[in-house]
Amino acid sequence: GAVVSQHPSWVICKSGTSVKIECRSLDFQATTMFWYRQFPKQSLMLMATSNEGSKATYEQGVEKDKFLINHASLTLSTLTVTSAHPEDSSFYICSATPSRTENQPQHFGDGTRLSIL
Amino acid sequence: AQSVAQPEDQVNVAEGNPLTVKCTYSVSGNPYLFWYVQYPNRGLQFLLKYITGDNLVKGSYGFEAEFNKSQTSFHLKKPSALVSDSALYFCAVRDNSGYSTLTFGKGTMLLVSP
Protein backbone atom coordinates (compact mmCIF):
# COMPACT_ATOMS: atom_id res chain seq x y z
CA GLY A 1 0.00 0.00 0.00
CA ALA A 2 0.82 3.73 0.06
CA VAL A 3 2.01 4.05 -3.52
CA VAL A 4 2.90 7.40 -5.05
CA SER A 5 3.13 7.61 -8.82
CA GLN A 6 5.09 10.37 -10.53
CA HIS A 7 4.92 11.12 -14.23
CA PRO A 8 6.83 11.58 -16.43
CA SER A 9 9.99 9.89 -15.25
CA TRP A 10 12.21 11.67 -17.77
CA VAL A 11 11.78 14.89 -19.76
CA ILE A 12 14.12 16.49 -22.26
CA CYS A 13 12.97 19.77 -23.77
CA LYS A 14 14.12 23.04 -25.23
CA SER A 15 14.79 26.17 -23.22
CA GLY A 16 11.65 28.28 -22.81
CA THR A 17 9.29 25.32 -22.67
CA SER A 18 6.94 24.80 -19.74
CA VAL A 19 6.92 21.33 -18.24
CA LYS A 20 4.23 19.76 -16.06
CA ILE A 21 4.99 16.97 -13.61
CA GLU A 22 2.21 14.95 -12.00
CA CYS A 23 2.22 13.32 -8.59
CA ARG A 24 -0.58 10.91 -7.71
CA SER A 25 -1.32 8.97 -4.56
CA LEU A 26 -2.73 5.73 -5.94
CA ASP A 27 -4.25 4.06 -2.91
CA PHE A 28 -4.69 6.78 -0.32
CA GLN A 29 -5.84 10.36 -0.01
CA ALA A 30 -3.27 13.04 0.67
CA THR A 31 -4.25 16.46 1.93
CA THR A 32 -0.62 17.45 1.74
CA MET A 33 2.02 16.62 -0.81
CA PHE A 34 5.60 17.79 -0.97
CA TRP A 35 7.85 18.74 -3.86
CA TYR A 36 11.60 18.32 -3.62
CA ARG A 37 14.53 19.07 -5.86
CA GLN A 38 17.71 17.03 -5.79
CA PHE A 39 21.02 17.93 -7.36
CA PRO A 40 23.57 15.23 -8.18
CA LYS A 41 25.09 13.63 -5.10
CA GLN A 42 23.18 15.99 -2.83
CA SER A 43 20.30 15.75 -0.44
CA LEU A 44 16.68 16.60 -1.11
CA MET A 45 15.76 20.26 -0.96
CA LEU A 46 12.14 20.96 -0.07
CA MET A 47 10.69 23.36 -2.61
CA ALA A 48 7.10 23.63 -1.49
CA THR A 49 4.27 22.04 0.42
CA SER A 50 1.21 21.45 -1.70
CA ASN A 51 -2.12 21.78 0.11
CA GLU A 52 -5.33 20.39 -1.36
CA GLY A 53 -7.75 23.16 -2.20
CA SER A 54 -5.46 26.01 -1.21
CA LYS A 55 -2.26 27.74 -2.21
CA ALA A 56 1.04 25.97 -1.88
CA THR A 57 3.54 27.03 0.75
CA TYR A 58 6.91 27.77 -0.82
CA GLU A 59 10.28 27.54 0.89
CA GLN A 60 12.49 30.58 1.04
CA GLY A 61 14.28 31.23 -2.22
CA VAL A 62 11.88 29.22 -4.38
CA GLU A 63 10.14 31.31 -7.04
CA LYS A 64 6.41 30.62 -6.88
CA ASP A 65 5.83 32.12 -10.33
CA LYS A 66 8.49 29.82 -11.75
CA PHE A 67 7.33 26.66 -10.08
CA LEU A 68 3.54 26.55 -10.20
CA ILE A 69 1.87 24.03 -7.93
CA ASN A 70 -1.71 22.89 -8.17
CA HIS A 71 -3.35 20.43 -5.77
CA ALA A 72 -6.86 20.18 -7.12
CA SER A 73 -7.81 16.84 -5.58
CA LEU A 74 -6.85 14.60 -2.67
CA THR A 75 -4.87 12.33 -4.99
CA LEU A 76 -3.18 14.67 -7.44
CA SER A 77 -0.66 17.47 -7.25
CA THR A 78 1.10 19.00 -10.23
CA LEU A 79 4.30 20.99 -10.50
CA THR A 80 4.73 23.13 -13.61
CA VAL A 81 8.17 24.52 -14.36
CA THR A 82 7.39 27.58 -16.43
CA SER A 83 9.72 28.83 -19.17
CA ALA A 84 12.34 26.33 -18.18
CA HIS A 85 16.02 27.11 -18.61
CA PRO A 86 19.11 24.90 -18.35
CA GLU A 87 19.62 25.85 -14.70
CA ASP A 88 16.24 24.27 -13.94
CA SER A 89 17.63 20.89 -14.98
CA SER A 90 17.43 18.64 -11.97
CA PHE A 91 15.76 15.61 -10.38
CA TYR A 92 12.34 16.51 -8.99
CA ILE A 93 10.68 14.23 -6.45
CA CYS A 94 7.24 14.39 -4.88
CA SER A 95 6.01 12.76 -1.71
CA ALA A 96 2.75 12.37 0.16
CA THR A 97 1.47 11.28 3.54
CA PRO A 98 -1.99 9.82 4.06
CA SER A 99 -4.44 12.39 5.37
CA ARG A 100 -5.14 12.46 9.10
CA THR A 101 -2.03 10.48 9.95
CA GLU A 102 0.44 12.34 12.06
CA ASN A 103 3.34 9.97 12.41
CA GLN A 104 3.31 8.03 9.18
CA PRO A 105 6.28 8.25 6.83
CA GLN A 106 6.17 10.20 3.62
CA HIS A 107 5.88 8.02 0.54
CA PHE A 108 7.90 9.12 -2.45
CA GLY A 109 7.39 9.00 -6.16
CA ASP A 110 10.18 7.71 -8.37
CA GLY A 111 11.18 11.19 -9.41
CA THR A 112 11.33 13.10 -12.68
CA ARG A 113 14.64 13.77 -14.40
CA LEU A 114 14.29 17.14 -16.15
CA SER A 115 16.89 18.12 -18.74
CA ILE A 116 16.61 21.51 -20.42
CA LEU A 117 18.67 21.97 -23.56
CA ALA B 1 15.20 24.74 13.71
CA GLN B 2 15.69 21.06 13.16
CA SER B 3 18.72 19.50 11.52
CA VAL B 4 20.27 16.16 10.65
CA ALA B 5 23.93 15.28 10.35
CA GLN B 6 25.27 12.29 8.47
CA PRO B 7 29.00 12.61 9.06
CA GLU B 8 30.11 10.09 6.45
CA ASP B 9 29.81 10.75 2.73
CA GLN B 10 30.54 7.10 2.03
CA VAL B 11 30.71 3.84 3.95
CA ASN B 12 32.53 0.83 2.53
CA VAL B 13 31.90 -2.66 3.84
CA ALA B 14 32.52 -6.18 2.61
CA GLU B 15 29.58 -8.46 1.94
CA GLY B 16 28.64 -10.47 5.01
CA ASN B 17 30.08 -7.95 7.43
CA PRO B 18 27.97 -5.76 9.70
CA LEU B 19 27.31 -2.21 8.59
CA THR B 20 26.54 1.05 10.38
CA VAL B 21 25.47 4.32 8.84
CA LYS B 22 25.58 7.17 11.32
CA CYS B 23 22.99 9.87 11.95
CA THR B 24 22.63 12.53 14.62
CA TYR B 25 19.82 15.02 14.87
CA SER B 26 18.66 18.21 16.50
CA VAL B 27 14.99 19.03 17.04
CA SER B 28 12.74 20.85 19.45
CA GLY B 29 10.60 18.48 21.41
CA ASN B 30 10.36 14.77 20.74
CA PRO B 31 11.70 13.60 17.39
CA TYR B 32 10.14 11.51 14.70
CA LEU B 33 13.07 9.82 12.94
CA PHE B 34 13.17 8.05 9.59
CA TRP B 35 15.60 6.23 7.35
CA TYR B 36 15.15 6.12 3.59
CA VAL B 37 17.14 4.46 0.81
CA GLN B 38 17.56 5.76 -2.72
CA TYR B 39 18.68 3.74 -5.73
CA PRO B 40 19.99 5.52 -8.86
CA ASN B 41 17.37 7.60 -10.68
CA ARG B 42 14.67 6.53 -8.24
CA GLY B 43 12.70 8.15 -5.46
CA LEU B 44 13.20 7.34 -1.80
CA GLN B 45 12.05 4.10 -0.26
CA PHE B 46 11.04 4.04 3.38
CA LEU B 47 13.12 1.69 5.56
CA LEU B 48 12.07 2.34 9.13
CA LYS B 49 10.94 4.93 11.63
CA TYR B 50 11.12 5.78 15.30
CA ILE B 51 8.13 7.50 16.84
CA THR B 52 8.03 6.22 20.39
CA GLY B 53 8.51 3.00 22.32
CA ASP B 54 11.45 0.62 21.98
CA ASN B 55 14.72 2.27 21.14
CA LEU B 56 15.65 -0.51 18.73
CA VAL B 57 13.54 -0.29 15.62
CA LYS B 58 13.43 -3.02 12.99
CA GLY B 59 12.63 -2.23 9.40
CA SER B 60 12.68 -3.50 5.85
CA TYR B 61 15.37 -5.72 4.28
CA GLY B 62 16.91 -6.65 7.63
CA PHE B 63 17.82 -3.11 8.61
CA GLU B 64 17.44 -1.79 12.13
CA ALA B 65 18.21 1.45 13.90
CA GLU B 66 18.80 2.39 17.49
CA PHE B 67 17.41 5.58 18.94
CA ASN B 68 19.70 7.10 21.56
CA LYS B 69 18.16 10.15 23.18
CA SER B 70 21.18 11.17 25.24
CA GLN B 71 23.44 11.12 22.19
CA THR B 72 20.70 12.39 19.85
CA SER B 73 21.61 9.63 17.43
CA PHE B 74 19.71 7.23 15.21
CA HIS B 75 22.31 5.02 13.54
CA LEU B 76 21.25 2.56 10.87
CA LYS B 77 22.58 -0.97 11.18
CA LYS B 78 22.48 -4.35 9.52
CA PRO B 79 24.16 -7.50 10.86
CA SER B 80 25.23 -8.85 7.47
CA ALA B 81 25.56 -6.60 4.42
CA LEU B 82 24.56 -7.61 0.89
CA VAL B 83 25.96 -6.23 -2.36
CA SER B 84 22.39 -5.24 -3.22
CA ASP B 85 22.35 -2.94 -0.18
CA SER B 86 24.67 -0.58 -2.06
CA ALA B 87 22.72 2.68 -2.38
CA LEU B 88 22.32 6.18 -0.99
CA TYR B 89 20.86 6.34 2.52
CA PHE B 90 19.10 9.34 4.03
CA CYS B 91 18.26 10.00 7.64
CA ALA B 92 15.38 12.42 8.29
CA VAL B 93 13.78 14.08 11.28
CA ARG B 94 10.76 16.13 12.13
CA ASP B 95 9.26 17.21 15.41
CA ASN B 96 6.02 15.85 16.77
CA SER B 97 4.05 19.09 16.46
CA GLY B 98 1.44 18.18 13.90
CA TYR B 99 2.51 18.11 10.29
CA SER B 100 5.93 19.73 10.40
CA THR B 101 8.11 19.11 7.37
CA LEU B 102 10.89 16.56 7.17
CA THR B 103 14.51 17.63 7.28
CA PHE B 104 16.93 15.31 5.52
CA GLY B 105 20.58 14.65 6.09
CA LYS B 106 22.96 15.02 3.15
CA GLY B 107 22.98 11.28 2.54
CA THR B 108 25.56 8.52 2.91
CA MET B 109 26.58 6.32 0.04
CA LEU B 110 26.91 2.70 1.12
CA LEU B 111 29.14 0.52 -1.02
CA VAL B 112 29.16 -3.21 -0.30
CA SER B 113 31.92 -5.12 -2.03
CA PRO B 114 31.62 -8.81 -2.97
Side-chain angles (χ1 to χ4, degrees):
Chain A
V3 176
V4 174
S5 173
Q6 192 172 338
H7 178 82
S9 57
W10 202 291
V11 179
I12 301 175
C13 58
K14 294 180 179 179
S15 183
T17 306
S18 291
V19 179
K20 179 186 283 188
I21 303 169
E22 292 187 349
C23 181
R24 293 180 183 272
S25 55
L26 296 186
D27 51 1
F28 64 97
Q29 293 183 334
T31 306
T32 304
M33 292 185 174
F34 303 91
W35 288 96
Y36 296 86
R37 184 172 180 177
Q38 186 180 30
F39 292 100
K41 298 184 180 180
Q42 293 191 27
S43 188
L44 278 72
M45 181 191 78
L46 179 65
M47 298 175 65
T49 302
S50 174
N51 305 298
E52 188 269 335
S54 64
K55 292 182 178 180
T57 304
Y58 289 82
E59 296 299 302
Q60 191 173 6
V62 178
E63 299 177 60
K64 61 180 180 180
D65 294 330
K66 175 75 170 178
F67 299 99
L68 300 179
I69 291 173
N70 184 278
H71 193 155
S73 78
L74 287 172
T75 60
L76 174 64
S77 175
T78 61
L79 168 68
T80 300
V81 183
T82 62
S83 187
H85 292 285
E87 59 267 27
D88 298 323
S89 299
S90 192
F91 193 55
Y92 293 87
I93 309 175
C94 72
S95 72
T97 301
S99 298
R100 293 183 291 278
T101 58
E102 185 173 319
N103 58 14
Q104 293 303 309
Q106 290 183 22
H107 300 280
F108 288 81
D110 272 344
T112 297
R113 175 74 59 191
L114 177 60
S115 296
I116 308 299
L117 305 177
Chain B
Q2 56 196 35
S3 65
V4 176
Q6 291 182 243
E8 304 150 318
D9 290 335
Q10 184 168 308
V11 170
N12 298 301
V13 65
E15 188 172 33
N17 284 357
L19 69 87
T20 299
V21 182
K22 296 180 181 178
C23 170
T24 57
Y25 67 91
S26 174
V27 70
S28 300
N30 294 320
Y32 289 170
L33 293 156
F34 304 85
W35 274 103
Y36 289 87
V37 60
Q38 185 181 32
Y39 295 96
N41 292 311
R42 300 292 297 274
L44 276 64
Q45 294 180 30
F46 168 72
L47 281 179
L48 51 80
K49 65 178 180 180
Y50 172 82
I51 303 298
T52 186
D54 289 341
N55 290 341
L56 184 63
V57 178
K58 294 187 182 296
S60 306
Y61 312 119
F63 284 93
E64 58 188 31
E66 186 166 11
F67 171 64
N68 187 316
K69 188 173 183 177
S70 62
Q71 297 184 4
T72 61
S73 67
F74 190 57
H75 302 329
L76 181 70
K77 299 182 180 183
K78 187 173 182 180
S80 178
L82 299 173
V83 173
S84 57
D85 291 330
S86 298
L88 187 58
Y89 290 80
F90 290 99
C91 180
V93 69
R94 67 176 181 88
D95 65 36
N96 62 351
S97 60
Y99 296 87
S100 64
T101 57
L102 273 180
T103 296
F104 286 88
K106 65 179 181 178
T108 298
M109 178 63 71
L110 173 67
L111 293 177
V112 182
S113 55

